[in-house]
Amino acid sequence: MRSSRYDYFLDDHYAALRSLVEEFAHDEVAPKAAALDAAEEFPYELVAQMARLGLFGLPFPEEYGGSGGDYFALCLAVEELARVDSSLAITLEAAVSLGAMPIYRFGTEEQRRRWLPPLARGERLGAFGLTEPGGGSDAGATATRAVPDGDGWRIRGTKAFITNAGTEITSVITVTAITGQRDGEKEISSFIVPVPSSGLTVSPPYSKVGWHASDTRQVFLDDVYVPADHLLGDRGRGYANFLAILDEGRIAIAALAVGLAQGCLDEALRYAGERHAFGRPIGAFQAIQFKLADMAARVHTARLAYYDAARRMLAGKPFKDQAAIAKLYASDVAVCNARDATQIFGGAGFINETPVARFWRDAKILEIGEGTSEVQRMVIARGLGLPT
């Protein structure tokens, strides 16, 4: 268990939440994480427990079924979960910051009252359909199209790498689609697509390197009909709105990366005290001490970066650049700490029975998902005023 040495940054209610989720992660998640990972099994029971704790509603007002907290509270919960299991952490992060948040940020009052309460209570999960097979980091290369049909729209296209798209409790996928031309450019709008819908199918789960217990699939939309009131936000603002959602999401992904990096440090510290070589605990050797010191320094700095971005966001200040910095740095820290923890474990770290092997497999995607490291550098460079 981590001491409270970081809680001096936090107001009492944040510290209490962090402690609550830490206890849940330690007592309920950690004992099950390895088995769920090995079986590639979605953690329905743990998701239900998180719902009862109110974690899916953390940033939403109580009037929409939420807990009345804020986005920083969500990030604290994601960090603590990721210390023991990134699959569960990404399930929460994607359900809230990607699945439900677009409806809260850009939906009409009727849409919020209709769709948000079951998502905020954790009874249902939402998914975020932006990425396409031919697009990747070029989110503007959207090929999915929506054409008017009577009092609604018909949507045709494919979305790729969509988290929470095919669970038994998925109820909605928000998707972007071309709805016309504006000033010679694609007009991209966003829509609420209920699950199930006629013409909507999802692939079997991907066979992934990591995040084995999370749900990730392709989504196929074959003339899916949605009524006019399922348009999410203003027509033509879908691309811009979804990019704004990603700016926020990068703070939460940074928190997840910090949690994984902290988990690597936790495990490596424990092992360095237990494993003996040449008659001494390996933690007595300077080579190991220096690795652990570097790991601790990385975690500390990455945590400060995402705290800063979150505080700016909550204060209504510009945070786009700080979110990109936090995501870029924290994801690199996660990969580095996973590598060093594996090295400290030696051969045992290459065996899937050890948590650090799972952390190692889970870390790499953090440099890719919700904006690659290269995209983060582009964002940061633009913020510096460099030519585009």
Side-chain angles (χ1 to χ4, degrees):
M1 298 287 285
R2 189 175 78 197
S3 75
S4 60
R5 61 187 181 273
Y6 296 112
D7 283 354
Y8 73 90
F9 283 102
L10 305 177
D11 295 339
D12 288 346
H13 67 286
Y14 288 130
L17 171 67
R18 190 207 61 75
S19 181
L20 172 70
V21 181
E22 178 186 36
E23 182 178 358
F24 168 70
H26 181 270
D27 295 345
E28 302 294 336
V29 182
K32 302 178 178 71
L36 290 165
D37 177 82
E40 301 190 14
E41 179 182 338
F42 189 79
Y44 287 103
E45 179 183 340
L46 293 173
V47 167
Q49 289 178 269
M50 289 198 301
R52 289 193 289 272
L53 290 174
L55 302 190
F56 289 93
L58 280 173
F60 302 121
E62 294 179 4
E63 63 183 301
Y64 301 122
S67 303
D70 56 34
Y71 204 87
F72 184 49
L74 171 66
C75 291
L76 292 174
V78 167
E79 179 189 344
E80 289 304 319
L81 291 171
R83 282 180 64 197
V84 298
D85 183 25
S86 290
S87 288
L88 196 63
I90 192 58
T91 298
L92 175 64
E93 190 277 336
V96 179
S97 75
L98 298 182
M101 193 59 73
I103 298 173
Y104 177 62
R105 294 286 188 222
F106 309 116
T108 64
E109 186 62 19
E110 190 279 331
Q111 288 172 336
R112 290 175 179 174
R113 294 195 178 278
R114 176 178 178 183
W115 298 104
L116 272 182
L119 299 176
R121 292 192 298 264
E123 299 166 357
R124 294 288 184 262
L125 298 180
F128 181 80
L130 174 63
T131 304
E132 299 192 359
S137 294
D138 185 7
T142 299
T144 298
R145 291 186 174 274
V147 296
D149 183 2
D151 292 329
W153 298 84
R154 293 259 174 207
I155 307 173
R156 174 182 286 271
T158 302
K159 301 294 181 176
F161 312 123
I162 310 303
T163 304
N164 296 334
T167 76
E168 295 174 4
I169 55 175
T170 301
S171 65
V172 62
I173 304 174
T174 56
V175 304
T176 51
I178 300 168
T179 50
Q181 293 280 324
R182 182 177 295 185
D183 300 325
E185 302 289 338
K186 293 178 183 176
E187 177 190 79
I188 299 177
S189 305
S190 56
F191 298 87
I192 299 171
V193 177
V195 178
S197 288
S198 178
L200 175 70
T201 58
V202 295
S203 72
Y206 290 107
S207 176
K208 297 173 292 188
V209 172
W211 287 359
H212 285 168
S214 73
D215 181 85
T216 319
R217 307 178 190 236
Q218 272 194 303
V219 175
F220 305 97
L221 302 108
D222 184 11
D223 284 334
V224 174
Y225 177 81
V226 295
D229 64 3
H230 285 43
L231 177 70
L232 179 60
D234 294 335
R235 177 172 174 171
R237 292 291 300 170
Y239 178 56
N241 288 347
F242 272 35
L243 290 185
I245 290 295
L246 288 178
D247 286 338
E248 298 179 358
R250 285 165 184 160
I251 306 175
I253 290 295
L256 194 159
V258 168
L260 186 149
Q262 179 72 55
C264 290
L265 177 59
D266 295 341
E267 290 295 325
L269 279 170
R270 177 188 60 78
Y271 190 75
E274 296 174 356
R275 174 77 164 93
H276 283 65
F278 307 104
R280 305 166 67 190
I282 63 172
F285 294 98
Q286 193 175 71
I288 301 299
Q289 292 177 352
F290 280 11
K291 282 190 182 299
L292 292 168
D294 286 343
M295 293 170 71
R298 294 181 195 126
V299 171
H300 179 72
T301 309
R303 182 176 288 115
L304 293 177
Y306 99 71
Y307 276 24
D308 174 62
R311 294 289 193 184
R312 288 172 181 269
M313 174 187 166
L314 295 185
K317 298 179 180 179
F319 67 92
K320 184 184 186 75
D321 296 350
Q322 288 75 23
I325 290 169
K327 201 273 186 184
L328 173 66
Y329 184 71
S331 60
D332 180 68
V333 164
V335 171
C336 290
N337 275 20
R339 179 198 64 217
D340 283 356
T342 303
Q343 191 71 18
I344 290 170
F345 269 71
F350 202 64
I351 305 301
N352 278 326
E353 294 175 1
T354 59
V356 295
R358 175 161 45 86
F359 294 162
W360 189 34
R361 288 186 285 104
D362 288 341
K364 180 57 189 175
I365 187 60
L366 297 171
E367 295 184 312
I368 299 171
E370 294 199 35
T372 64
S373 294
E374 291 76 14
V375 167
Q376 306 316 310
R377 290 184 171 93
M378 288 168 54
V379 171
I380 296 164
R382 288 170 183 165
L384 294 173
L386 296 171
T388 59

